[in-house]
Amino acid sequence: MSTSTAGEEIVPTTLGGKAADYLDQRLGIAGAAKKNLRKIFPDHWSFMLGEVCLYSFIILLLSGIFLTLFFTPSMGDVTYNGSYTPLDGIRMSEAYASTLNLSFDVRGGLLMRQIHHWAALVFVMGIMVHMLRVFFTGAFRKPRELNWIIGFGLFTLALAEGFCGYSLPDDLLSGTGLRIMQGLVLSIPIVGTYISFFLFGGQFPGHDIVPRLFTIHILLVPGLILGLITAHLILVFYQKHTQWAGPGRNDKNVVGLPLMPVYMAKAGGFFFVVFGFIALLGGLVSINPIWVYGPYVPNQITAGSQPDFYIGFFEGALRMMPNVEFNFWGHTLSLNVLVPFAVVPGILFGGIALYPFIEAWITGDKREHHILDRPRNMPTRTALGVAGITFYGVGWLNGGNDLIAIRFNLSVESITWVCRFLIILGPIFAFWLTRRICFGLQRRDRDKVLHGAESGIITRSPEGAFSEVHTPLSQGELHKLTAHDVHRPLTLTEVTDANGVPAPNLRRAKLRAKATQWYFGQRVEKPTAEEYHESITSGHH
Amino acid sequence: MKSLSTRRRHPLAAFVVLVLALGFAGTLFAAFVSPASANADSGNTSAQAIANGKALYETSCSSCHGMNGEGSSYGPSLVGSGSAAVDFQVSTGRMPAQQPGAQIQKKAVLYTQAQIDEMAAYIQSLGGGPVVPSQSQYSVNDSMVQLGGVLFRTNCSQCHNFAGEGGVLTDGKFAPELTQTSPKAMYEAMLTGPQNMPQFPNTVLPSAEKQAIISYIVSTRDEANYGGAGLGRIGPTSEGLFIWTFGLIALLLFAVWIAAHTTKASAERVAQAAAKKGGK
Amino acid sequence: MTEHDEHGHGPVAVDEHGHGHVVPSGDPFADPGLPEHHPRLTDISEKAAKRSERIVAGLFVLSAVATIAFMVCYTQVPNNRQSLVNFFPIGAMSASNFALGVCLGVALFSMGAGAIYWARTLMTDVEIPQERHEYESSNEDKAAAIAEFQQGVEDSDWKKRPLIRRTLIGAMAVLPLPALWILRDLGPLPGNALRYTAWTGGELIINDNTVSLDGTTGQGIRPEDITIGSLVNARPKAALSAGDDFNNMMVKSSILLVRMNEADIKSSQERDWGYHGIVAFSKICTHVGCPVALYEQQTHHMLCPCHQSTFDLSDDGRVIFGPAARSLPQLPITVNADGYLVARSDFNQPVGPSFWERG
């Protein structure tokens, strides 16, 4: 395009210029382009985790479309007669037979299946890691609470989507998984049996579940995910990315590199890198070799029947739960199933979804935040997160208790018992330990600010004493290490009315005062300017 | 150390680190899921004097199973166990037992096949029982693989896993992996039900069906992992472990590579460049 | 990374007291502003830049070559179970899958790596600050929006005409209900479907191992066939002619037969419902319905491989470990006139997982 000053008519000369001009005359794209082409994105490896999720979702869409061209979502009986001869003459569903054909007769079919499955694991793993990053850095705070909720929605949809996909091939593992799911549904009080019959079109397994899950898996859930991802990205774009504290970076700006060209190349390149990596996995590492499992038959089972990793927590919780069941007035309440399948995950997931609001209420912080918290500077939040990871991790671990028992020559019962205690005690210990570590790290930062960084150079004084030379920090580093707020607990007076009249909800106010005391009661103060000058001038380090 | 630290600014340093880290992650993973190796056993049957077997029995077995195989508080009676049980237990190294535990483990075989056959003949003479199968009964027959698969998934996979990788039982017991087990030992195990494994006598699982199951196991374990590395053939758990170790580390390294600031030119190079520019 | 940046300032001169820098007056923690940009080698050396250019171009060429190789492999590498490649440390695998996966992976990966290398070495790395805008609207905007909205409310007579308002809200509230209503035909009502199985008095017990591959023929079992310590998976004779209903039937009616010394059976009812030490139990776990079949012939423990519920088959199928709350149901059996094992009746309770109406 020719450059020109304001007011001069712009006459496009190149083909691309002409196309842009054509669109601009109809859509006015130049305005949007002017604003967004040089949009700034900050550089940090942890900001790439969400992109992993986005890209693996695109890979899932692409490979999934290919798979639908060959997969037959039907539970109709066929006798297999394909090129996988060990299953020759065996009765199976059309779904399973078509998956075998995909794997052995369609060129690139096995590759696409494996890419699809690996991408699914990367998708869910990416979401989990991305959520942890956002949690530990406080990126969910105002104004991004809504995007946290959207992200949480994407997380739960991804779990559901993964489970549906796992169930489609109708092999022995996926059928077993569905059977377990149906057993879980049956435990729901009052409506469980009805939901099960509506879901399966009658008794389990029936003939409807695969086609129904197919529609859910390829249309309903991906549609929702696509919509939510769009909203998620629009909000990220509109609200601009958060950034780490550092010289020149504050809550009013964002420092980084422009979308055009740097982030187009970096993010675009990352898509291809992720896709290439997953394609290599698909070509080199087996995943879900359904032909080895055999078709689903309700009286067959294999040792080590396991779900994909993201269902592992539920599986482990189911294995761990003591066998509590109540019978009353002709009804059965199976807490041994309901608690690990619905109650505990409900509390855990509810807590995750609502955390931004709970924390904002406890801290009373209504300001906008664009500078991320270093996890150590929010010890209670970080400790809660680690406690949550521990809780989830113990459940997850117990989901593989049989394989652990085999690998390490232990008894599966003792692993289960250890996990039963560990799932309660582990998070408590993790919470305590993480807070201690955070305070320790904060003190180290404080020492670094006041006395400089350890240089590794040892000097010997004329008197013979050895000491390490501490290098004073640059002002940029000083700023970075002191940019955070040290929060203080709200006192009860602060939560009462300005005139000293008790707030209408005194009970709530008291609870809040307690919560904020728990949250911020123990803290490490930042060094003040006076302390710093004192330290510098005394030459004390 | 100095040379290493200067080379970290080399343009290829990032790749070297990437490759090393990937290798490390892979090793970590492999160490976790690589299947345990086991000794193969083989041998062919031949009859020997019962007397030889009795002599061997008296030195090695009688302390637990009694002078005449009648059993004691340390070991069950062997009357009626048959030669198949002896051949299985001794030729897989399970007997003579070495240490008590949840389950008698397989270990190095102590006897030659000829000696085992003699012991088997002796036990057979005590009260009959299932006899060592002939090769035609357990030899692999490719045309029986389909039936074998169905029977395997009905009778065996619940304990031994879909690919014969073994599985857990109660109180520290386990169903061993079948990845190295000889067809003969498999046949004998089905026939005699060693330790806690149930028996599958010919009356409920005919000899031909045992052969079908063996054919399936052997053909499956020899089968390629068409999709690539088999990850121990233990199902989704190892896949999850793989993606959370190797996969996550690889993706994080890519992310670090993308987001990390490119190495800055050293002060000397900047000065050089400035001098060069000035010189022009 | 950022730490590197600041080391980029060069070492700070340190005197013998260790603090040779100028003590800043005022706030020592004040933001010093963005650090000065330091060039990369490619910024100052055209030779280095050329080298980067060649690497990027090389990666793009590699990508194109791999893309073409992918298409060639698609047609040239046979896709069948016999065409394998053996590659350390993976072992034998499908040649087609390997070739296609590696070509596609290399094509994509080098494309991405080239773009990233380009961005990292040749595109600008000067960090730019961009102001954030306020999300909250100005008070004037808020006031204007409220005024517009109220004008709209006013114009609609929403407040003046409560009848319209209330009927609209009411109608809107019930309007989504058909979306639920219309789902009624997703399946039949449960009725008593979970309460019975295919077992009835005299129903022949078929040995699973004798069933043909097409599932239509199979043989019964005589008590003398079952030795002590053996395990037989079995199904009702009705399953041989169940056709489409086969899976639904098997999910409730699969059973296991084991034989133990009658003296080992601890419960008289269990002994009673068995036949000379042969007892039949449901194969479906009472927890969430996996088939249980991990039978230990010496301990008589039956383990479920899914969640490790353990049942004692010598004691009414009692739960001795794990999450299952109910004993494994026992099927009363006897022998018919031909000498084959048959059921005496259906199970006396629903098999499989608990459900609300079970009681």
Side-chain angles (χ1 to χ4, degrees):
Chain A
M1 229 187 254
S2 55
T3 50
S4 69
T5 51
E8 204 177 311
E9 172 118 23
I10 296 174
V11 183
T13 50
T14 63
L15 193 63
K18 279 177 184 157
D21 193 51
Y22 179 91
L23 288 177
D24 188 62
Q25 288 182 29
R26 283 149 186 86
L27 303 169
I29 57 165
K34 181 188 80 181
K35 252 200 262 167
N36 295 321
L37 273 181
R38 297 287 283 182
K39 199 167 177 75
I40 293 299
F41 282 93
D43 254 347
H44 193 266
W45 64 268
S46 69
F47 302 162
M48 309 303 289
L49 298 169
E51 288 186 33
V52 171
C53 310
L54 173 68
Y55 300 151
S56 45
F57 182 68
I58 296 171
I59 298 164
L60 283 166
L61 287 183
L62 294 175
S63 53
I65 288 168
F66 180 88
L67 297 180
T68 60
L69 302 177
F70 300 95
F71 177 70
T72 314
S74 155
M75 294 176 92
D77 255 359
V78 289
T79 302
Y80 182 70
N81 221 328
S83 50
Y84 189 68
T85 47
L87 287 172
D88 228 6
I90 309 279
R91 265 173 51 163
M92 58 182 64
S93 67
E94 284 184 275
Y96 185 66
S98 64
T99 314
L100 287 174
N101 289 339
L102 243 171
S103 306
F104 290 106
D105 298 301
V106 176
R107 279 178 287 183
L110 179 58
L111 179 66
M112 283 298 157
R113 271 197 58 227
Q114 299 205 128
I115 286 178
H116 195 72
H117 207 133
W118 280 124
L121 296 195
V122 170
F123 184 50
V124 184
M125 175 177 76
I127 293 177
M128 287 179 171
V129 180
H130 175 57
M131 280 178 88
L132 289 175
R133 195 284 289 176
V134 170
F135 179 87
F136 284 117
T137 59
F140 55 78
R141 291 171 300 169
K142 187 180 173 186
R144 297 184 176 78
E145 308 96 317
L146 298 177
N147 225 11
W148 171 265
I149 292 282
I150 293 175
F152 172 79
L154 282 166
F155 174 51
T156 50
L157 284 171
L159 295 184
E161 179 72 345
F163 183 82
C164 292
Y166 178 90
S167 304
L168 286 180
D170 206 20
D171 57 271
L172 189 52
L173 270 192
S174 77
T176 304
L178 272 177
R179 171 77 231 217
I180 294 172
M181 192 268 272
Q182 188 251 357
L184 303 182
V185 170
L186 282 182
S187 77
I188 300 172
I190 305 171
V191 293
T193 319
Y194 290 84
I195 293 178
S196 169
F197 272 69
F198 289 163
L199 201 58
F200 289 87
Q203 294 189 59
F204 176 86
H207 296 274
D208 297 332
I209 189 68
V210 166
R212 285 178 185 177
L213 285 182
F214 182 71
T215 308
I216 294 171
H217 181 73
I218 69 152
L219 182 70
L220 179 63
V221 181
L224 290 172
I225 290 179
L226 197 59
L228 284 183
I229 284 184
T230 311
H232 201 67
L233 289 179
I234 288 174
L235 282 182
V236 169
F237 209 79
Y238 176 72
Q239 294 181 328
K240 295 202 173 82
H241 210 285
T242 50
Q243 61 186 350
W244 290 102
R249 290 147 214 263
N250 55 49
D251 265 329
K252 300 257 175 263
N253 70 5
V254 53
V255 177
L257 298 168
L259 175 66
M260 168 85 193
V262 180
Y263 258 87
M264 269 185 190
K266 282 191 173 185
F270 196 31
F271 167 70
F272 288 107
V273 162
V274 172
F275 200 169
F277 177 66
I278 289 175
L280 284 172
L281 285 185
L284 295 172
V285 189
S286 284
I287 188 163
N288 202 23
I290 48 117
W291 54 90
V292 195
Y293 302 147
Y296 177 63
V297 185
N299 66 332
Q300 293 178 354
I301 185 79
T302 167
S305 287
Q306 305 276 1
D308 273 343
F309 79 79
Y310 43 84
I311 309 288
F313 171 77
F314 300 87
E315 175 83 1
L318 272 171
R319 293 178 179 200
M320 200 185 302
M321 180 71 192
N323 57 348
V324 189
E325 188 176 274
F326 296 112
N327 290 289
F328 50 90
W329 308 315
H331 291 294
T332 301
L333 183 63
S334 299
L335 292 183
N336 54 341
V337 182
L338 199 62
V339 168
F341 144 68
V343 178
V344 170
I347 294 169
L348 182 68
F349 280 53
I352 293 172
L354 298 178
Y355 187 77
F357 308 99
I358 298 170
E359 190 188 283
W361 181 75
I362 291 177
T363 61
D365 189 350
K366 293 192 174 66
R367 294 166 304 160
E368 271 184 25
H369 293 280
H370 302 290
I371 293 288
L372 295 171
D373 283 326
R374 297 175 80 202
R376 67 185 63 173
N377 291 334
M378 287 296 278
T380 307
R381 178 206 292 152
T382 305
L384 274 174
V386 176
I389 292 175
T390 311
F391 182 79
Y392 191 89
V394 172
W396 194 359
L397 196 72
N398 197 53
N401 59 3
D402 48 343
L403 294 170
I404 297 169
I406 280 273
R407 265 311 132 195
F408 299 102
N409 273 326
L410 298 165
S411 105
V412 72
E413 290 85 351
S414 39
I415 296 176
T416 307
W417 270 107
V418 167
C419 287
R420 280 175 180 172
F421 285 103
L422 217 53
I423 202 156
I424 310 287
L425 300 178
I428 296 173
F429 176 72
F431 180 86
W432 173 83
L433 183 69
T434 310
R435 259 173 54 119
R436 304 266 33 102
I437 292 173
C438 287
F439 288 132
L441 289 171
Q442 282 193 48
R443 286 194 195 97
R444 203 176 74 173
D445 283 351
R446 192 184 144 86
D447 283 353
K448 214 166 143 187
V449 168
L450 289 180
H451 308 307
E454 292 170 8
S455 64
I457 300 164
I458 308 289
T459 58
R460 190 174 164 205
S461 72
E463 294 79 38
F466 289 95
S467 60
E468 188 180 3
V469 175
H470 283 224
T471 321
L473 302 183
S474 67
Q475 197 178 350
E477 277 169 299
L478 289 177
H479 172 69
K480 195 168 140 187
L481 290 178
T482 54
H484 62 282
D485 296 322
V486 176
H487 300 269
R488 262 144 235 298
L490 306 171
T491 53
L492 198 54
T493 48
E494 282 174 54
V495 290
T496 52
D497 187 274
N499 303 324
V501 181
N505 237 329
L506 189 62
R507 247 239 213 94
R508 241 176 75 185
K510 276 183 176 162
L511 176 70
R512 186 174 180 186
K514 255 190 205 143
T516 163
Q517 182 65 35
W518 169 69
Y519 216 85
F520 292 130
Q522 197 179 355
R523 61 193 176 273
V524 175
E525 297 295 348
K526 280 197 295 196
T528 59
E530 292 72 46
E531 281 174 313
Y532 179 76
H533 289 302
E534 157 81 4
S535 163
I536 290 296
T537 47
S538 72
H540 198 74
H541 29 252
Chain B
M1 275 325 285
K2 187 170 185 284
S3 64
L4 197 63
S5 62
T6 48
R7 277 180 199 152
R8 74 178 176 194
R9 281 159 192 277
H10 192 274
L12 290 178
F15 291 105
V16 172
V17 172
L18 193 78
V19 168
L20 286 178
L22 287 180
F24 171 70
T27 316
L28 199 75
F29 178 77
F32 210 81
V33 300
S34 64
S37 61
N39 292 325
D41 54 323
S42 60
N44 45 45
T45 49
S46 67
Q48 286 290 334
I50 291 172
N52 285 353
K54 185 167 166 50
L56 284 165
Y57 174 86
E58 280 167 359
T59 51
S60 311
C61 320
S62 60
S63 57
C64 296
H65 294 290
M67 284 310 287
N68 298 302
E70 73 277 15
S72 76
S73 51
Y74 297 106
S77 162
L78 301 183
V79 176
S81 296
S83 56
V86 177
D87 189 59
F88 175 84
Q89 298 284 358
V90 185
S91 71
T92 60
R94 287 182 169 82
M95 288 290 151
Q98 238 166 24
Q99 59 184 50
Q103 187 165 327
I104 308 288
Q105 308 265 1
K106 105 188 130 167
K107 44 188 186 296
V109 183
L110 291 179
Y111 297 96
T112 64
Q113 189 58 47
Q115 289 172 313
I116 296 169
D117 292 341
E118 287 165 355
M119 280 187 267
Y122 169 65
I123 297 300
Q124 188 71 32
S125 75
L126 291 181
V131 295
V132 173
S134 66
Q135 181 146 18
S136 63
Q137 286 176 290
Y138 57 76
S139 60
V140 173
N141 180 342
D142 285 335
S143 67
M144 299 175 105
V145 168
Q146 294 80 6
L147 174 67
V150 175
L151 293 168
F152 180 82
R153 288 187 289 274
T154 306
N155 295 292
C156 318
S157 65
Q158 73 264 30
C159 298
H160 292 284
N161 145 305
F162 57 87
E165 294 290 339
V168 77
L169 295 173
T170 66
D171 299 320
K173 298 188 283 291
F174 62 93
E177 77 273 14
L178 307 174
T179 47
Q180 310 284 332
T181 317
S182 72
K184 185 183 175 198
M186 289 185 218
Y187 192 102
E188 290 164 347
M190 286 188 264
L191 197 60
T192 62
Q195 301 192 54
N196 263 305
M197 174 167 166
Q199 297 163 9
F200 296 91
N202 287 340
T203 44
V204 295
L205 187 71
S207 184
E209 298 196 343
K210 290 192 178 69
Q211 192 184 359
I213 290 176
I214 291 165
S215 302
Y216 174 78
I217 295 171
V218 172
S219 81
T220 309
R221 73 188 182 190
D222 291 346
E223 192 177 58
N225 290 309
Y226 299 108
L231 305 182
R233 292 193 181 178
I234 53 171
T237 306
S238 57
E239 294 158 5
L241 192 62
F242 179 80
I243 205 69
W244 274 93
T245 51
F246 183 85
L248 183 62
I249 291 172
L251 289 167
L252 289 181
L253 286 172
F254 299 144
V256 168
W257 180 51
I258 290 169
H261 287 188
T262 312
T263 316
K264 303 297 181 186
S266 62
E268 304 96 84
R269 293 300 294 265
V270 175
Q272 263 176 28
K276 211 169 157 190
K277 215 174 182 181
K280 261 181 201 171
Chain C
M1 278 194 275
T2 9
E3 274 82 6
H4 271 232
D5 258 354
E6 275 138 16
H7 292 309
H9 288 297
V12 178
V14 179
D15 66 12
E16 70 259 39
H17 303 296
H19 54 87
H21 72 306
V22 184
V23 178
S25 57
D27 182 3
F29 309 132
D31 183 357
L34 275 181
E36 189 195 340
H37 176 251
H38 288 265
R40 299 161 294 187
L41 198 54
T42 44
D43 293 329
I44 53 171
S45 152
E46 183 55 26
K47 204 173 133 205
K50 277 271 185 236
R51 194 166 156 273
S52 277
E53 185 183 359
R54 280 195 301 274
I55 290 177
V56 173
L59 284 166
F60 288 161
V61 170
L62 177 64
S63 171
V65 169
T67 304
I68 293 163
F70 177 89
M71 294 186 283
V72 172
C73 289
Y74 185 88
T75 55
Q76 297 306 309
V77 179
N79 178 39
N80 58 49
R81 292 204 302 131
Q82 285 72 44
S83 304
L84 301 172
V85 287
N86 206 321
F87 191 88
F88 180 81
I90 295 171
M93 58 187 150
S94 156
S96 170
N97 190 63
F98 169 78
L100 295 178
V102 169
C103 291
L104 185 62
V106 170
L108 292 161
F109 192 92
S110 45
M111 172 71 83
I116 293 167
Y117 199 79
W118 180 13
R120 282 176 54 79
T121 57
L122 294 171
M123 291 181 188
T124 175
D125 76 335
V126 180
E127 290 197 305
I128 307 170
Q130 199 169 53
E131 291 304 304
R132 290 182 189 275
H133 56 86
E134 290 268 331
Y135 304 119
E136 196 173 353
S137 312
S138 66
N139 282 335
E140 298 85 79
D141 281 359
K142 280 187 197 172
I146 293 168
E148 296 277 352
F149 179 76
Q150 277 168 348
Q151 184 64 47
V153 173
E154 197 73 17
D155 290 352
S156 69
D157 275 3
W158 177 259
K159 281 191 175 148
K160 230 194 277 171
R161 304 195 187 282
L163 188 62
I164 291 182
R165 195 167 75 227
R166 285 171 199 158
T167 49
L168 176 64
I169 292 171
M172 290 291 275
V174 296
L175 198 56
L177 285 180
L180 274 180
W181 220 249
I182 203 169
L183 295 178
R184 166 61 191 87
D185 279 348
L186 274 176
L189 295 180
N192 64 350
L194 295 179
R195 296 192 170 274
Y196 65 87
T197 72
W199 295 104
T200 54
E203 177 75 11
L204 186 66
I205 298 173
I206 299 292
N207 177 356
D208 277 354
N209 297 333
T210 62
V211 175
S212 57
L213 280 188
D214 65 1
T216 55
T217 64
Q219 288 152 28
I221 316 162
R222 292 171 183 278
E224 57 271 26
D225 294 344
I226 306 180
T227 54
I228 287 178
S230 64
L231 166 75
V232 185
N233 294 276
R235 63 185 71 177
K237 186 164 187 275
L240 300 177
S241 53
D244 274 357
D245 209 27
F246 176 75
N247 279 350
N248 287 3
M249 184 183 283
M250 286 301 278
V251 108
K252 293 188 297 184
S253 310
S254 299
I255 59 163
L256 291 154
L257 296 164
V258 299
R259 184 168 201 162
M260 51 189 103
N261 273 319
E262 272 197 274
D264 288 350
I265 300 178
K266 294 172 192 141
S267 134
S268 60
Q269 179 191 287
E270 179 177 345
R271 214 174 300 131
D272 232 39
W273 284 7
Y275 184 82
H276 296 301
I278 300 174
V279 286
F281 281 93
S282 164
K283 197 183 178 177
I284 309 302
C285 187
T286 56
H287 179 221
V288 285
C290 288
V292 285
L294 286 73
Y295 176 60
E296 299 178 359
Q297 59 131 322
Q298 291 172 352
T299 61
H300 308 304
H301 291 171
M302 177 74 90
L303 174 71
C304 177
C306 291
H307 306 102
Q308 284 110 31
S309 298
T310 310
F311 305 89
D312 185 351
L313 293 199
S314 65
D315 192 10
D316 283 335
R318 186 172 59 88
V319 179
I320 53 173
F321 184 78
R326 290 169 183 278
S327 301
L328 217 48
Q330 189 185 355
L331 183 73
I333 55 169
T334 185
V335 163
N336 68 8
D338 302 328
Y340 285 100
L341 290 169
V342 293
R344 266 193 257 168
S345 67
D346 197 352
F347 291 96
N348 72 334
Q349 53 173 314
V351 301
S354 296
F355 49 96
W356 176 250
E357 296 85 353
R358 190 184 194 278

